[in-house]
Amino acid sequence: MDHGTLSLVTCLRVITCQLYVIVVSMSRCSPVSTFCVHRCDVVMSVQVVLQQRISSAQALLQRAEQLCQGVEGHQKLCAKLRAELRFLRRVEAGELQVKESHLHSTNLTHLTAIVESAESLEDVVALLHVFTYQDASGRRRTLVVDVVANGGHTWVKAVGRKAEALHNIWQGRGQYGDKSIIRQAKDFLQASLQQPIHYRHPHIVFAFYNGVSCPMADRLRDMGVSVRGDIVAVNAVVTEGGSDDDDDDDGDGDDDEDEEEEEEGQVAEDDQEKKKEEEPSELTRVDRGTVVASLAFPAQVQVEECRRVNLDITTLIAYVSSLSHGRCHFTFREPVLTEQAAQERCLQVLPQLDAFMAGKQLYACRAAVTDFQLILDTLGGPGEKERAQKLLNRIHLVDDQPSERTMRLTTSAKINQRSLMIFGTGDSLRAVTMTANSRFIRAAANQGVRYSVFIHQPRALTEGKEWRALPI
């Protein structure tokens, strides 16, 4: 907003206030003037709410910008907040005319819930992440997870709608097309079963920032969904035509329908599914004044770590490389080796590998070991060969046994037969594959196959090339 526009808006506010004073003094004279007083009250109320929303949006954007920087979805979250702020600014400038209820119906409530959820959790790896899954009928669906935390093991849905509105929708008193929280929880559980992390299904948490009724919280927990927020009582039975005083939809947009690729007829299908849900036997009213419990986010989720490790050929090489054993202060003739030496001086790979392998069962398939030994015989130095023998003595050698889904991958420049054998065998063993081959991981993911992996930087065999390298 430029200086001239700002001055105009200020003048209009002053004139409005002056008119308000004049009309109040005349309010006893006629019904028309009483109506004018009411209109002025409405204008002033809208201005107050508008300024509150703008202040809240600005503060929330500042928090979001400092939150989880570099994490997937961080920029998307900030962009949504900036869009909300632009909308409010347009209202402030007089470009848009809205009712006070519309100011309460922005996405700020939902976005606030997302920011507060991310601030309360550890190891956040994604925000507003879209997962693809198949529903019970085998049709492709998408699901937006507000916060993916604990290294991917926790999925959080942040809910900003009021407990009254959520409860009414669950009882079938919502608007046409509204999807109940229970139905959404079923979708989350269905999707999580198809998105394992190290062969463990993600834990689902629904975080309620405007409360949730006790019966709904109980139903969610029975389904295996954790609940965070204030759990409020229900105590008054209402008739079919009854309505809550406070069930206005605050329109926080927490369903992210714009993100999801819903096919035609989805709403009708959801309506049919709602009828099949276990609805309460009687209609009840939320008692917001009675908080049964206040639940914080669960502590760091304790996930049983996968104890099996499958070693890719790139890991076998990195583990025995001279670069990984202190011989990284060289400038090699080969630029890629010089680059790896510089990376090693900044970040040592061997401690990372040892830490991940500690206490676990180590496996390698024949395809990996055979090619590793061939490369070692060709390029390895004496020290590298000695370390290789010690490492192989610690490993369980298994036959190549690629998983069924691996064999459905289409080969390409990034997906070769050796990689299919190595990663497919790790998949069959339900082991985490250690690798520096990130190109294969991305290519497989593009074809819908996501492996459980531990990715590290590559290190080549360099002992045999030190004689012609320049010491640093």
Side-chain angles (χ1 to χ4, degrees), residues 361-411:
Q361 298 175 336
L362 306 182
Y363 295 86
C365 68
R366 293 194 182 277
V369 173
T370 298
D371 282 7
F372 170 59
Q373 289 178 325
L374 179 62
I375 294 172
L376 193 67
D377 291 341
T378 306
L379 300 175
E384 291 170 335
K385 292 178 179 178
E386 181 181 352
R387 288 188 290 269
Q389 190 57 50
K390 292 180 180 180
L391 175 60
L392 292 174
N393 290 338
R394 299 166 52 193
I395 294 173
H396 297 282
L397 178 63
V398 296
D399 291 331
D400 300 338
Q401 43 184 311
S403 60
E404 182 179 345
R405 65 173 185 159
T406 298
M407 297 310 296
R408 292 198 294 266
L409 290 173
T410 303
T411 57

Side-chain angles (χ1 to χ4, degrees), residues 6-26:
L6 183 61
S7 299
L8 178 59
V9 172
T10 303
C11 290
L12 288 174
R13 289 177 183 166
V14 172
I15 293 171
T16 300
C17 292
Q18 291 174 342
L19 287 172
Y20 178 80
V21 173
I22 294 172
V23 172
V24 168
S25 65
M26 298 171 57

Side-chain angles (χ1 to χ4, degrees), residues 78-104:
C78 291
K80 286 179 175 288
L81 281 165
R82 293 189 186 100
E84 290 298 317
L85 195 54
R86 284 195 299 270
F87 164 75
L88 295 171
R89 290 295 192 192
R90 291 183 65 192
V91 175
E92 182 185 40
E95 298 177 15
L96 297 174
Q97 298 296 323
V98 299
K99 298 179 181 179
E100 181 179 346
S101 60
H102 293 163
L103 295 179
H104 290 289

